[in-house]
Amino acid sequence: MICVFCKRAEPTAGTTSMTYERGEAVIVVKKIPALICPACGEAYFDETTSSRLDVIVGEALRGGVQFELREYVAA
């Protein structure tokens, strides 16, 4: 698969961080497994990882945080 954004390279396995902003809350999740384009840095997540990220962010939001730093942990 060639990166759909830059169309210059094939993404390879690695980890990345993502920042989510929901209203006044900011949640940063580190060490997320992904395919990452070596040319532009775009990250691609599989369905399992995307679903787990939804759970991690949802838990933080339900906890009423304004800022949270979490590490990705597979379910």
Side-chain angles (χ1 to χ4, degrees), residues 3-47:
C3 178
V4 298
F5 290 93
C6 73
K7 299 182 183 2
R8 297 185 318 201
E10 186 169 326
T12 57
T15 60
T16 191
S17 298
M18 294 291 295
T19 301
Y20 297 85
E21 295 184 42
R22 302 289 191 271
E24 297 296 315
V26 176
I27 298 122
V28 178
V29 184
K30 297 173 31 171
K31 297 185 180 179
I32 307 165
L35 292 176
I36 302 168
C37 177
C40 72
E42 185 63 32
Y44 297 87
F45 305 117
D46 64 22
E47 186 176 336

Side-chain angles (χ1 to χ4, degrees), residues 44-54 72:
Y44 297 87
F45 305 117
D46 64 22
E47 186 176 336
T48 301
T49 301
S50 293
S51 294
R52 181 69 184 135
L53 285 170
D54 287 343
Y72 181 93

